[in-house]
């Protein structure tokens, strides 16, 4: 399967713990995006990378959220000191640089904070 | 006010019906427009781009009205398989290449 893959698919954690999600984009895509989606809502933009550069991070929900893409390939999204309100589906997507319309999404990582 | 707004529905229609969704956006610095489809418990996928002159793809027609800042999607001859959530997506000139999603409109096509 050469699509976007995310790991883990499901994560249950206790409030206050740190969690990290990984995203492996389609190999030839140089743009990578993180979105969050809660039930009944559309995806909410968090951040994006072009290669290893993080070009937009002002939409990260708080300073507890951080993302990296150290070698311009896979990316990680970390949430520190999780809160119950962080429970959501975290979606990763990738695209070609010149194609700003079609994002290829992974199946998401569902986070439940108890 | 949200940047991209949609009626959440659900729209319940019989097979063969024609159904239309509208989407409004608040930022006039808009650049590109798209409709995505999201099946239940699945990831969103691009359905079609929306061009200024309007465009059609089989049973699906998308229209853009920049003056009124809304986008529409028309589905003709609805099929059971069209049941999904339809997400309106806009990119804004002053926000790089960030795709902003609406909340989605849920469509249920019934036999």
């Amino acid at each position: 399967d050469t699509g976007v893959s995310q790991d883990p698919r499901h994560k249950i954690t206790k409030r206050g713990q740190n969690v990290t999600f990984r995203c492996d984009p389609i190999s030839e895509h140089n743009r990578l995006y993180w979105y969050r989606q809660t039930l009944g809502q559309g995806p909410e933009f968090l951040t994006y990378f072009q290669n290893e550069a993080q070009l937009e991070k002002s939409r990260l929900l708080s300073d507890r959220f951080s993302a990296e893409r150290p070698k311009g390939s896979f990316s990680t999204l970390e949430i520190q000191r999780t809160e119950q309100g962080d429970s959501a589906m975290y979606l990763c997507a990738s695209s070609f640089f010149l194609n700003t319309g079609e994002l290829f999404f992974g199946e998401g990582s569902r986070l439940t904070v108890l | 006010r949200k940047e991209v707004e949609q009626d959440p529905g659900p729209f319940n229609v019989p097979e063969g019906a024609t159904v239309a969704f509208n989407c409004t956006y608040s930022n006039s610095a808009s650049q590109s427009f798209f409709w995505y489809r999201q099946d239940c418990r699945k990831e969103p996928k691009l359905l079609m781009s929306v061009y200024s002159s309007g465009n059609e793809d089989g049973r699906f027609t998308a229209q853009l009205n920049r003056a009124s800042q809304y986008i529409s999607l028309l589905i003709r001859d609805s099929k059971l398989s069209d049941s999904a959530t339809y997400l309106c997506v806009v990119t804004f000139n002053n926000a790089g290449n960030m795709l902003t999603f609406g909340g989605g409109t849920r469509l249920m096509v019934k036999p």
Side-chain angles (χ1 to χ4, degrees):
Chain A
D1 187 345
T2 58
V4 177
S5 63
Q6 293 189 242
D7 182 72
R9 294 290 310 281
H10 303 275
K11 177 71 175 178
I12 299 173
T13 191
K14 292 182 178 179
R15 189 175 53 187
Q17 299 296 304
N18 300 342
V19 297
T20 299
F21 301 116
R22 175 180 170 126
C23 171
D24 287 89
I26 294 172
S27 58
E28 57 268 31
H29 288 178
N30 55 10
R31 284 202 167 163
L32 185 149
Y33 304 78
W34 284 100
Y35 282 81
R36 183 178 86 153
Q37 188 171 28
T38 54
L39 192 64
Q41 302 297 315
E44 177 185 13
F45 174 81
L46 296 178
T47 188
Y48 91 99
F49 296 84
Q50 183 170 307
N51 299 314
E52 66 276 7
Q54 191 172 11
L55 298 185
E56 175 60 59
K57 57 182 180 180
S58 66
R59 300 293 183 112
L60 285 168
L61 300 166
S62 77
D63 58 7
R64 298 184 296 106
F65 287 71
S66 62
E68 294 184 340
R69 195 184 183 195
K71 297 182 180 180
S73 56
F74 75 91
S75 175
T76 57
L77 176 69
E78 181 182 18
I79 309 173
Q80 295 182 327
R81 305 181 303 281
T82 52
E83 301 173 356
Q84 288 185 322
D86 297 333
S87 296
M89 179 70 84
Y90 291 86
L91 293 165
C92 175
S94 67
S95 73
F96 289 109
F97 168 64
L98 293 177
N99 184 342
T100 59
E102 185 164 17
L103 300 187
F104 294 83
F105 282 89
E107 294 181 300
S109 292
R110 180 169 295 284
L111 173 65
T112 301
V113 181
L114 302 176
Chain B
R1 183 183 174 189
K2 292 183 179 179
E3 292 176 294
V4 181
E5 292 202 74
Q6 297 181 249
D7 180 342
F11 284 59
N12 295 296
V13 302
E15 269 187 293
T18 295
V19 61
F21 310 133
N22 284 337
C23 162
T24 58
Y25 57 94
S26 61
N27 189 334
S28 60
S30 55
Q31 185 172 29
S32 305
F33 309 89
F34 310 91
W35 283 101
Y36 272 66
R37 169 186 170 139
Q38 186 170 25
D39 293 321
C40 188
R41 302 182 189 277
K42 297 288 188 180
E43 71 275 18
K45 294 183 179 180
L46 179 66
L47 178 66
M48 60 195 302
S49 301
V50 186
Y51 304 124
S52 296
S53 56
N55 50 299
E56 188 173 309
D57 182 1
R59 298 181 293 107
F60 297 82
T61 300
Q63 297 280 350
L64 168 63
N65 185 319
R66 284 189 183 270
S68 300
Q69 296 185 198
Y70 80 80
I71 307 149
S72 65
L73 177 67
L74 181 77
I75 305 175
R76 291 181 299 277
D77 188 22
S78 299
K79 311 292 184 190
L80 294 176
S81 58
D82 293 335
S83 297
T85 296
Y86 291 84
L87 298 160
C88 175
V89 185
V90 180
T91 64
F92 300 110
N93 290 337
N94 57 358
N97 290 292
M98 183 182 80
L99 273 70
T100 300
F101 286 75
T105 297
R106 188 175 172 200
L107 171 66
M108 299 181 68
V109 181
K110 301 190 173 179

